[in-house]
PDB file of all heavy atoms in Angstrom:
ATOM      1  N   GLY A   1     -35.010 123.373-100.017  1.00 97.00           N
ATOM      2  CA  GLY A   1     -36.118 122.525 -99.628  1.00 97.00           C
ATOM      3  C   GLY A   1     -37.310 123.325 -99.143  1.00 97.00           C
ATOM      4  O   GLY A   1     -37.359 124.554 -99.270  1.00 97.00           O
ATOM      5  N   THR A   2     -38.273 122.618 -98.584  1.00 97.00           N
ATOM      6  CA  THR A   2     -39.477 123.298 -98.091  1.00 97.00           C
ATOM      7  C   THR A   2     -39.151 124.243 -96.941  1.00 97.00           C
ATOM      8  O   THR A   2     -39.846 125.231 -96.720  1.00 97.00           O
ATOM      9  CB  THR A   2     -40.513 122.266 -97.637  1.00 97.00           C
ATOM     10  OG1 THR A   2     -39.908 121.365 -96.687  1.00 97.00           O
ATOM     11  CG2 THR A   2     -41.039 121.452 -98.817  1.00 97.00           C
ATOM     12  N   ALA A   3     -38.100 123.938 -96.170  1.00 96.00           N
ATOM     13  CA  ALA A   3     -37.746 124.765 -95.021  1.00 96.00           C
ATOM     14  C   ALA A   3     -37.304 126.168 -95.413  1.00 96.00           C
ATOM     15  O   ALA A   3     -37.435 127.109 -94.628  1.00 96.00           O
ATOM     16  CB  ALA A   3     -36.646 124.089 -94.199  1.00 96.00           C
ATOM     17  N   ASN A   4     -36.761 126.334 -96.616  1.00 97.00           N
ATOM     18  CA  ASN A   4     -36.374 127.677 -97.078  1.00 97.00           C
ATOM     19  C   ASN A   4     -37.062 128.041 -98.388  1.00 97.00           C
ATOM     20  O   ASN A   4     -36.537 128.806 -99.193  1.00 97.00           O
ATOM     21  CB  ASN A   4     -34.851 127.799 -97.227  1.00 97.00           C
ATOM     22  CG  ASN A   4     -34.293 126.922 -98.340  1.00 97.00           C
ATOM     23  OD1 ASN A   4     -34.972 126.037 -98.862  1.00 97.00           O
ATOM     24  ND2 ASN A   4     -33.040 127.164 -98.719  1.00 97.00           N
ATOM     25  N   SER A   5     -38.269 127.464 -98.567  1.00 97.00           N
ATOM     26  CA  SER A   5     -39.081 127.725 -99.769  1.00 97.00           C
ATOM     27  C   SER A   5     -38.309 127.444-101.048  1.00 97.00           C
ATOM     28  O   SER A   5     -38.465 128.142-102.048  1.00 97.00           O
ATOM     29  CB  SER A   5     -39.599 129.175 -99.758  1.00 97.00           C
ATOM     30  OG  SER A   5     -40.387 129.417 -98.605  1.00 97.00           O
ATOM     31  N   TRP A   6     -37.451 126.428-100.983  1.00 97.00           N
ATOM     32  CA  TRP A   6     -36.642 125.995-102.130  1.00 97.00           C
ATOM     33  C   TRP A   6     -35.708 127.093-102.631  1.00 97.00           C
ATOM     34  O   TRP A   6     -35.350 127.148-103.811  1.00 97.00           O
ATOM     35  CB  TRP A   6     -37.519 125.472-103.274  1.00 97.00           C
ATOM     36  CG  TRP A   6     -38.277 124.250-102.874  1.00 97.00           C
ATOM     37  CD1 TRP A   6     -39.567 124.193-102.441  1.00 97.00           C
ATOM     38  CD2 TRP A   6     -37.792 122.910-102.810  1.00 97.00           C
ATOM     39  NE1 TRP A   6     -39.932 122.910-102.114  1.00 97.00           N
ATOM     40  CE2 TRP A   6     -38.853 122.079-102.335  1.00 97.00           C
ATOM     41  CE3 TRP A   6     -36.575 122.306-103.112  1.00 97.00           C
ATOM     42  CZ2 TRP A   6     -38.728 120.712-102.159  1.00 97.00           C
ATOM     43  CZ3 TRP A   6     -36.452 120.929-102.927  1.00 97.00           C
ATOM     44  CH2 TRP A   6     -37.515 120.147-102.465  1.00 97.00           C
ATOM     45  N   GLY A   7     -35.305 127.956-101.702  1.00 96.00           N
ATOM     46  CA  GLY A   7     -34.284 128.952-102.036  1.00 96.00           C
ATOM     47  C   GLY A   7     -32.899 128.330-101.988  1.00 96.00           C
ATOM     48  O   GLY A   7     -32.752 127.094-102.065  1.00 96.00           O
ATOM     49  N   THR A   8     -31.871 129.140-101.828  1.00 95.00           N
ATOM     50  CA  THR A   8     -30.498 128.645-101.791  1.00 95.00           C
ATOM     51  C   THR A   8     -29.841 129.072-100.491  1.00 95.00           C
ATOM     52  O   THR A   8     -29.467 130.231-100.329  1.00 95.00           O
ATOM     53  CB  THR A   8     -29.682 129.166-102.982  1.00 95.00           C
ATOM     54  OG1 THR A   8     -29.839 130.599-103.066  1.00 95.00           O
ATOM     55  CG2 THR A   8     -30.146 128.542-104.286  1.00 95.00           C
ATOM     56  N   SER A   9     -29.720 128.141 -99.546  1.00 95.00           N
ATOM     57  CA  SER A   9     -29.004 128.387 -98.296  1.00 95.00           C
ATOM     58  C   SER A   9     -27.606 127.802 -98.442  1.00 95.00           C
ATOM     59  O   SER A   9     -27.429 126.578 -98.519  1.00 95.00           O
ATOM     60  CB  SER A   9     -29.729 127.736 -97.114  1.00 95.00           C
ATOM     61  OG  SER A   9     -31.009 128.314 -96.938  1.00 95.00           O
ATOM     62  N   GLU A  10     -26.608 128.684 -98.511  1.00 94.00           N
ATOM     63  CA  GLU A  10     -25.245 128.229 -98.791  1.00 94.00           C
ATOM     64  C   GLU A  10     -24.664 127.471 -97.607  1.00 94.00           C
ATOM     65  O   GLU A  10     -24.759 127.899 -96.460  1.00 94.00           O
ATOM     66  CB  GLU A  10     -24.353 129.416 -99.135  1.00 94.00           C
ATOM     67  CG  GLU A  10     -22.961 129.028 -99.607  1.00 94.00           C
ATOM     68  CD  GLU A  10     -22.174 130.183-100.173  1.00 94.00           C
ATOM     69  OE1 GLU A  10     -22.655 131.332-100.058  1.00 94.00           O
ATOM     70  OE2 GLU A  10     -21.077 129.952-100.727  1.00 94.00           O
ATOM     71  N   MET A  11     -24.038 126.329 -97.890  1.00 94.00           N
ATOM     72  CA  MET A  11     -23.390 125.533 -96.869  1.00 94.00           C
ATOM     73  C   MET A  11     -21.935 125.957 -96.728  1.00 94.00           C
ATOM     74  O   MET A  11     -21.335 126.507 -97.652  1.00 94.00           O
ATOM     75  CB  MET A  11     -23.501 124.043 -97.200  1.00 94.00           C
ATOM     76  CG  MET A  11     -24.938 123.562 -97.346  1.00 94.00           C
ATOM     77  SD  MET A  11     -25.098 121.768 -97.595  1.00 94.00           S
ATOM     78  CE  MET A  11     -24.610 121.145 -95.982  1.00 94.00           C
ATOM     79  N   THR A  12     -21.348 125.703 -95.557  1.00 92.00           N
ATOM     80  CA  THR A  12     -19.989 126.124 -95.245  1.00 92.00           C
ATOM     81  C   THR A  12     -19.066 124.920 -95.169  1.00 92.00           C
ATOM     82  O   THR A  12     -19.415 123.896 -94.562  1.00 92.00           O
ATOM     83  CB  THR A  12     -19.952 126.872 -93.902  1.00 92.00           C
ATOM     84  OG1 THR A  12     -20.822 128.007 -93.967  1.00 92.00           O
ATOM     85  CG2 THR A  12     -18.543 127.360 -93.586  1.00 92.00           C
ATOM     86  N   LEU A  13     -17.878 125.037 -95.780  1.00 90.00           N
ATOM     87  CA  LEU A  13     -16.866 123.987 -95.688  1.00 90.00           C
ATOM     88  C   LEU A  13     -16.144 124.161 -94.349  1.00 90.00           C
ATOM     89  O   LEU A  13     -15.367 125.106 -94.165  1.00 90.00           O
ATOM     90  CB  LEU A  13     -15.881 124.088 -96.854  1.00 90.00           C
ATOM     91  CG  LEU A  13     -14.800 123.016 -96.936  1.00 90.00           C
ATOM     92  CD1 LEU A  13     -15.404 121.661 -97.271  1.00 90.00           C
ATOM     93  CD2 LEU A  13     -13.750 123.391 -97.990  1.00 90.00           C
ATOM     94  N   VAL A  14     -16.408 123.279 -93.383  1.00 90.00           N
ATOM     95  CA  VAL A  14     -15.907 123.466 -92.025  1.00 90.00           C
ATOM     96  C   VAL A  14     -14.631 122.674 -91.750  1.00 90.00           C
ATOM     97  O   VAL A  14     -13.843 123.038 -90.865  1.00 90.00           O
ATOM     98  CB  VAL A  14     -16.989 123.103 -90.989  1.00 90.00           C
ATOM     99  CG1 VAL A  14     -18.133 124.091 -91.055  1.00 90.00           C
ATOM    100  CG2 VAL A  14     -17.501 121.677 -91.198  1.00 90.00           C
ATOM    101  N   THR A  15     -14.420 121.588 -92.458  1.00 89.00           N
ATOM    102  CA  THR A  15     -13.208 120.787 -92.345  1.00 89.00           C
ATOM    103  C   THR A  15     -13.068 120.002 -93.643  1.00 89.00           C
ATOM    104  O   THR A  15     -13.893 120.149 -94.547  1.00 89.00           O
ATOM    105  CB  THR A  15     -13.275 119.853 -91.119  1.00 89.00           C
ATOM    106  OG1 THR A  15     -11.994 119.209 -90.947  1.00 89.00           O
ATOM    107  CG2 THR A  15     -14.359 118.801 -91.272  1.00 89.00           C
ATOM    108  N   ASP A  16     -12.034 119.181 -93.759  1.00 84.00           N
ATOM    109  CA  ASP A  16     -11.795 118.478 -95.020  1.00 84.00           C
ATOM    110  C   ASP A  16     -13.046 117.748 -95.495  1.00 84.00           C
ATOM    111  O   ASP A  16     -13.575 116.869 -94.795  1.00 84.00           O
ATOM    112  CB  ASP A  16     -10.663 117.461 -94.856  1.00 84.00           C
ATOM    113  CG  ASP A  16      -9.295 118.123 -94.787  1.00 84.00           C
ATOM    114  OD1 ASP A  16      -9.220 119.346 -94.978  1.00 84.00           O
ATOM    115  OD2 ASP A  16      -8.301 117.408 -94.527  1.00 84.00           O
ATOM    116  N   HIS A  17     -13.537 118.163 -96.667  1.00 87.00           N
ATOM    117  CA  HIS A  17     -14.644 117.490 -97.362  1.00 87.00           C
ATOM    118  C   HIS A  17     -15.967 117.510 -96.607  1.00 87.00           C
ATOM    119  O   HIS A  17     -16.890 116.774 -96.967  1.00 87.00           O
ATOM    120  CB  HIS A  17     -14.263 116.044 -97.698  1.00 87.00           C
ATOM    121  CG  HIS A  17     -13.043 115.920 -98.549  1.00 87.00           C
ATOM    122  ND1 HIS A  17     -13.003 116.350 -99.855  1.00 87.00           N
ATOM    123  CD2 HIS A  17     -11.798 115.434 -98.261  1.00 87.00           C
ATOM    124  CE1 HIS A  17     -11.785 116.126-100.357  1.00 87.00           C
ATOM    125  NE2 HIS A  17     -11.045 115.583 -99.409  1.00 87.00           N
ATOM    126  N   THR A  18     -16.094 118.336 -95.576  1.00 93.00           N
ATOM    127  CA  THR A  18     -17.317 118.364 -94.772  1.00 93.00           C
ATOM    128  C   THR A  18     -17.988 119.728 -94.858  1.00 93.00           C
ATOM    129  O   THR A  18     -17.403 120.744 -94.482  1.00 93.00           O
ATOM    130  CB  THR A  18     -17.024 118.029 -93.299  1.00 93.00           C
ATOM    131  OG1 THR A  18     -16.411 116.743 -93.225  1.00 93.00           O
ATOM    132  CG2 THR A  18     -18.313 118.018 -92.487  1.00 93.00           C
ATOM    133  N   TRP A  19     -19.229 119.718 -95.349  1.00 95.00           N
ATOM    134  CA  TRP A  19     -20.028 120.923 -95.491  1.00 95.00           C
ATOM    135  C   TRP A  19     -21.175 120.875 -94.486  1.00 95.00           C
ATOM    136  O   TRP A  19     -21.702 119.808 -94.207  1.00 95.00           O
ATOM    137  CB  TRP A  19     -20.614 121.013 -96.904  1.00 95.00           C
ATOM    138  CG  TRP A  19     -19.592 121.055 -97.991  1.00 95.00           C
ATOM    139  CD1 TRP A  19     -18.880 119.993 -98.507  1.00 95.00           C
ATOM    140  CD2 TRP A  19     -19.142 122.206 -98.709  1.00 95.00           C
ATOM    141  NE1 TRP A  19     -18.032 120.415 -99.499  1.00 95.00           N
ATOM    142  CE2 TRP A  19     -18.172 121.773 -99.652  1.00 95.00           C
ATOM    143  CE3 TRP A  19     -19.484 123.561 -98.659  1.00 95.00           C
ATOM    144  CZ2 TRP A  19     -17.533 122.656-100.516  1.00 95.00           C
ATOM    145  CZ3 TRP A  19     -18.850 124.441 -99.522  1.00 95.00           C
ATOM    146  CH2 TRP A  19     -17.887 123.990-100.435  1.00 95.00           C
ATOM    147  N   GLU A  20     -21.569 122.050 -93.962  1.00 96.00           N
ATOM    148  CA  GLU A  20     -22.693 122.046 -93.042  1.00 96.00           C
ATOM    149  C   GLU A  20     -23.483 123.353 -93.125  1.00 96.00           C
ATOM    150  O   GLU A  20     -22.986 124.393 -93.558  1.00 96.00           O
ATOM    151  CB  GLU A  20     -22.231 121.806 -91.602  1.00 96.00           C
ATOM    152  CG  GLU A  20     -21.448 122.922 -90.979  1.00 96.00           C
ATOM    153  CD  GLU A  20     -21.100 122.653 -89.512  1.00 96.00           C
ATOM    154  OE1 GLU A  20     -20.972 121.474 -89.113  1.00 96.00           O
ATOM    155  OE2 GLU A  20     -20.947 123.641 -88.769  1.00 96.00           O
ATOM    156  N   VAL A  21     -24.733 123.254 -92.684  1.00 96.00           N
ATOM    157  CA  VAL A  21     -25.613 124.409 -92.588  1.00 96.00           C
ATOM    158  C   VAL A  21     -26.685 124.092 -91.554  1.00 96.00           C
ATOM    159  O   VAL A  21     -27.109 122.942 -91.418  1.00 96.00           O
ATOM    160  CB  VAL A  21     -26.268 124.748 -93.954  1.00 96.00           C
ATOM    161  CG1 VAL A  21     -27.216 123.652 -94.408  1.00 96.00           C
ATOM    162  CG2 VAL A  21     -26.990 126.082 -93.896  1.00 96.00           C
ATOM    163  N   GLU A  22     -27.088 125.098 -90.785  1.00 96.00           N
ATOM    164  CA  GLU A  22     -28.161 124.916 -89.822  1.00 96.00           C
ATOM    165  C   GLU A  22     -29.489 125.230 -90.505  1.00 96.00           C
ATOM    166  O   GLU A  22     -29.637 126.270 -91.142  1.00 96.00           O
ATOM    167  CB  GLU A  22     -27.968 125.823 -88.615  1.00 96.00           C
ATOM    168  CG  GLU A  22     -29.015 125.624 -87.527  1.00 96.00           C
ATOM    169  CD  GLU A  22     -28.746 126.459 -86.289  1.00 96.00           C
ATOM    170  OE1 GLU A  22     -27.564 126.758 -86.006  1.00 96.00           O
ATOM    171  OE2 GLU A  22     -29.733 126.822 -85.596  1.00 96.00           O
ATOM    172  N   VAL A  23     -30.437 124.310 -90.360  1.00 96.00           N
ATOM    173  CA  VAL A  23     -31.734 124.451 -91.013  1.00 96.00           C
ATOM    174  C   VAL A  23     -32.831 124.387 -89.954  1.00 96.00           C
ATOM    175  O   VAL A  23     -32.803 123.516 -89.074  1.00 96.00           O
ATOM    176  CB  VAL A  23     -31.964 123.331 -92.052  1.00 96.00           C
ATOM    177  CG1 VAL A  23     -33.318 123.515 -92.746  1.00 96.00           C
ATOM    178  CG2 VAL A  23     -30.840 123.299 -93.068  1.00 96.00           C
ATOM    179  N   ASN A  24     -33.775 125.299 -90.024  1.00 96.00           N
ATOM    180  CA  ASN A  24     -34.932 125.284 -89.121  1.00 96.00           C
ATOM    181  C   ASN A  24     -36.111 124.608 -89.826  1.00 96.00           C
ATOM    182  O   ASN A  24     -36.735 125.196 -90.711  1.00 96.00           O
ATOM    183  CB  ASN A  24     -35.292 126.703 -88.704  1.00 96.00           C
ATOM    184  CG  ASN A  24     -34.265 127.309 -87.766  1.00 96.00           C
ATOM    185  OD1 ASN A  24     -33.956 126.726 -86.733  1.00 96.00           O
ATOM    186  ND2 ASN A  24     -33.717 128.459 -88.128  1.00 96.00           N
ATOM    187  N   PHE A  25     -36.387 123.381 -89.431  1.00 96.00           N
ATOM    188  CA  PHE A  25     -37.493 122.620 -89.998  1.00 96.00           C
ATOM    189  C   PHE A  25     -38.772 122.889 -89.189  1.00 96.00           C
ATOM    190  O   PHE A  25     -38.717 123.049 -87.961  1.00 96.00           O
ATOM    191  CB  PHE A  25     -37.192 121.128 -89.990  1.00 96.00           C
ATOM    192  CG  PHE A  25     -36.080 120.716 -90.916  1.00 96.00           C
ATOM    193  CD1 PHE A  25     -34.775 120.606 -90.452  1.00 96.00           C
ATOM    194  CD2 PHE A  25     -36.333 120.436 -92.246  1.00 96.00           C
ATOM    195  CE1 PHE A  25     -33.749 120.230 -91.299  1.00 96.00           C
ATOM    196  CE2 PHE A  25     -35.320 120.052 -93.109  1.00 96.00           C
ATOM    197  CZ  PHE A  25     -34.022 119.954 -92.636  1.00 96.00           C
ATOM    198  N   ASP A  26     -39.916 122.918 -89.873  1.00 94.00           N
ATOM    199  CA  ASP A  26     -41.183 123.168 -89.174  1.00 94.00           C
ATOM    200  C   ASP A  26     -42.075 121.932 -89.105  1.00 94.00           C
ATOM    201  O   ASP A  26     -43.190 121.989 -88.598  1.00 94.00           O
ATOM    202  CB  ASP A  26     -41.939 124.329 -89.819  1.00 94.00           C
ATOM    203  CG  ASP A  26     -42.260 124.089 -91.294  1.00 94.00           C
ATOM    204  OD1 ASP A  26     -42.058 122.953 -91.766  1.00 94.00           O
ATOM    205  OD2 ASP A  26     -42.704 125.038 -91.965  1.00 94.00           O
ATOM    206  N   GLY A  27     -41.582 120.792 -89.606  1.00 92.00           N
ATOM    207  CA  GLY A  27     -42.332 119.555 -89.508  1.00 92.00           C
ATOM    208  C   GLY A  27     -43.585 119.505 -90.354  1.00 92.00           C
ATOM    209  O   GLY A  27     -44.467 118.676 -90.124  1.00 92.00           O
ATOM    210  N   GLN A  28     -43.697 120.349 -91.360  1.00 93.00           N
ATOM    211  CA  GLN A  28     -44.893 120.387 -92.198  1.00 93.00           C
ATOM    212  C   GLN A  28     -45.057 119.086 -92.974  1.00 93.00           C
ATOM    213  O   GLN A  28     -44.117 118.302 -93.134  1.00 93.00           O
ATOM    214  CB  GLN A  28     -44.803 121.562 -93.179  1.00 93.00           C
ATOM    215  CG  GLN A  28     -43.660 121.457 -94.174  1.00 93.00           C
ATOM    216  CD  GLN A  28     -43.638 122.605 -95.164  1.00 93.00           C
ATOM    217  OE1 GLN A  28     -44.300 122.546 -96.198  1.00 93.00           O
ATOM    218  NE2 GLN A  28     -42.887 123.652 -94.839  1.00 93.00           N
ATOM    219  N   ALA A  29     -46.248 118.857 -93.439  1.00 93.00           N
ATOM    220  CA  ALA A  29     -46.523 117.656 -94.236  1.00 93.00           C
ATOM    221  C   ALA A  29     -45.702 117.692 -95.527  1.00 93.00           C
ATOM    222  O   ALA A  29     -45.485 118.753 -96.112  1.00 93.00           O
ATOM    223  CB  ALA A  29     -48.015 117.587 -94.559  1.00 93.00           C
ATOM    224  N   ASN A  30     -45.230 116.533 -95.927  1.00 96.00           N
ATOM    225  CA  ASN A  30     -44.448 116.392 -97.153  1.00 96.00           C
ATOM    226  C   ASN A  30     -43.182 117.252 -97.110  1.00 96.00           C
ATOM    227  O   ASN A  30     -42.749 117.806 -98.108  1.00 96.00           O
ATOM    228  CB  ASN A  30     -45.282 116.760 -98.385  1.00 96.00           C
ATOM    229  CG  ASN A  30     -44.696 116.186 -99.672  1.00 96.00           C
ATOM    230  OD1 ASN A  30     -44.036 115.149 -99.656  1.00 96.00           O
ATOM    231  ND2 ASN A  30     -44.942 116.867-100.782  1.00 96.00           N
ATOM    232  N   GLN A  31     -42.565 117.348 -95.942  1.00 97.00           N
ATOM    233  CA  GLN A  31     -41.336 118.128 -95.765  1.00 97.00           C
ATOM    234  C   GLN A  31     -40.171 117.409 -96.442  1.00 97.00           C
ATOM    235  O   GLN A  31     -39.964 116.218 -96.230  1.00 97.00           O
ATOM    236  CB  GLN A  31     -41.070 118.283 -94.261  1.00 97.00           C
ATOM    237  CG  GLN A  31     -39.861 119.123 -93.927  1.00 97.00           C
ATOM    238  CD  GLN A  31     -39.751 119.311 -92.428  1.00 97.00           C
ATOM    239  OE1 GLN A  31     -39.897 120.407 -91.927  1.00 97.00           O
ATOM    240  NE2 GLN A  31     -39.513 118.221 -91.686  1.00 97.00           N
ATOM    241  N   ARG A  32     -39.395 118.121 -97.238  1.00 97.00           N
ATOM    242  CA  ARG A  32     -38.334 117.482 -98.006  1.00 97.00           C
ATOM    243  C   ARG A  32     -37.294 118.503 -98.434  1.00 97.00           C
ATOM    244  O   ARG A  32     -37.513 119.709 -98.339  1.00 97.00           O
ATOM    245  CB  ARG A  32     -38.922 116.771 -99.236  1.00 97.00           C
ATOM    246  CG  ARG A  32     -39.621 117.685-100.211  1.00 97.00           C
ATOM    247  CD  ARG A  32     -40.580 116.902-101.103  1.00 97.00           C
ATOM    248  NE  ARG A  32     -41.078 117.723-102.211  1.00 97.00           N
ATOM    249  CZ  ARG A  32     -42.072 118.592-102.100  1.00 97.00           C
ATOM    250  NH1 ARG A  32     -42.686 118.768-100.931  1.00 97.00           N
ATOM    251  NH2 ARG A  32     -42.472 119.295-103.151  1.00 97.00           N
ATOM    252  N   PHE A  33     -36.162 117.993 -98.961  1.00 98.00           N
ATOM    253  CA  PHE A  33     -35.083 118.881 -99.408  1.00 98.00           C
ATOM    254  C   PHE A  33     -34.169 118.150-100.378  1.00 98.00           C
ATOM    255  O   PHE A  33     -34.238 116.929-100.548  1.00 98.00           O
ATOM    256  CB  PHE A  33     -34.282 119.421 -98.213  1.00 98.00           C
ATOM    257  CG  PHE A  33     -33.508 118.363 -97.456  1.00 98.00           C
ATOM    258  CD1 PHE A  33     -32.189 118.069 -97.779  1.00 98.00           C
ATOM    259  CD2 PHE A  33     -34.095 117.676 -96.399  1.00 98.00           C
ATOM    260  CE1 PHE A  33     -31.470 117.111 -97.067  1.00 98.00           C
ATOM    261  CE2 PHE A  33     -33.385 116.717 -95.683  1.00 98.00           C
ATOM    262  CZ  PHE A  33     -32.074 116.432 -96.028  1.00 98.00           C
ATOM    263  N   LYS A  34     -33.278 118.923-101.001  1.00 98.00           N
ATOM    264  CA  LYS A  34     -32.226 118.391-101.856  1.00 98.00           C
ATOM    265  C   LYS A  34     -30.967 119.233-101.643  1.00 98.00           C
ATOM    266  O   LYS A  34     -31.015 120.301-101.015  1.00 98.00           O
ATOM    267  CB  LYS A  34     -32.626 118.422-103.344  1.00 98.00           C
ATOM    268  CG  LYS A  34     -33.843 117.577-103.677  1.00 98.00           C
ATOM    269  CD  LYS A  34     -34.066 117.442-105.182  1.00 98.00           C
ATOM    270  CE  LYS A  34     -33.142 116.410-105.787  1.00 98.00           C
ATOM    271  NZ  LYS A  34     -33.478 116.100-107.190  1.00 98.00           N
ATOM    272  N   LEU A  35     -29.845 118.769-102.170  1.00 97.00           N
ATOM    273  CA  LEU A  35     -28.588 119.504-102.144  1.00 97.00           C
ATOM    274  C   LEU A  35     -28.226 119.892-103.570  1.00 97.00           C
ATOM    275  O   LEU A  35     -28.301 119.055-104.476  1.00 97.00           O
ATOM    276  CB  LEU A  35     -27.464 118.660-101.531  1.00 97.00           C
ATOM    277  CG  LEU A  35     -27.460 118.469-100.009  1.00 97.00           C
ATOM    278  CD1 LEU A  35     -27.526 119.813 -99.297  1.00 97.00           C
ATOM    279  CD2 LEU A  35     -28.586 117.585 -99.538  1.00 97.00           C
TER     280      LEU A  35
END
């Protein structure tokens, strides 16, 4: 997303079927992301 310039921040499987990643958002206009 915009928070990582649309790069690839790998998410971690922390428990059954649950993935997570910490993201630092800057609140910029039109801030968005995808998985």
Side-chain angles (χ1 to χ4, degrees):
T2 54
N4 67 347
S5 301
W6 296 97
T8 51
S9 297
E10 187 170 8
M11 302 185 70
T12 302
L13 183 68
V14 293
T15 187
D16 286 354
H17 302 293
T18 302
W19 300 78
E20 69 176 28
V21 66
E22 183 176 331
V23 181
N24 289 305
F25 293 94
D26 59 10
Q28 64 178 273
N30 200 28
Q31 183 175 247
R32 62 200 190 279
F33 66 92
K34 298 190 79 171
L35 285 307

